[in-house]
């Protein structure tokens, strides 16, 4: 039997991995900023935003009131 891969589940786990990378980048932001300057911050924002987007990408239900 071939295991079915749900694309939304894959995107969810890739998003979590990107958020873990963003967390590690925060721990090492000072050395990254010394080496890359503002590009370190811009890179962190891009990685974190992409991770959040992938995690919440297929939320179709309305939030509770």
């Amino acid at each position: 039997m071939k295991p079915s891969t749900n694309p939304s589940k894959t995107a969810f786990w890739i998003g979590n991995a990107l958020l873990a990378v963003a967390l590690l980048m925060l721990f090492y932001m000072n050395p990254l900023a010394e080496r890359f300057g503002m590009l370190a911050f811009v890179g962190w924002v891009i990685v974190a935003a992409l991770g959040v987007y992938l995690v919440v990408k297929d939320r179709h239900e309305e939030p509770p009131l």
Side-chain angles (χ1 to χ4, degrees):
M1 273 172 47
K2 180 181 158 191
S4 63
T5 58
N6 188 353
S8 65
K9 219 32 164 168
T10 303
F12 175 78
W13 286 110
I14 292 172
N16 278 326
L18 286 175
L19 288 174
V21 169
L23 179 66
L24 288 175
M25 286 176 73
L26 277 179
F27 285 133
Y28 296 104
M29 186 54 78
N30 190 30
L32 288 173
E34 288 175 357
R35 179 172 288 232
F36 300 113
M38 279 301 287
L39 285 178
F41 174 71
V42 171
W44 176 80
V45 167
I46 290 170
V47 169
L50 187 59
V52 169
Y53 171 75
L54 288 174
V55 166
V56 299
K57 184 168 89 167
D58 76 310
R59 306 273 318 238
H60 299 293
E61 60 208 37
E62 291 293 321
L65 295 177

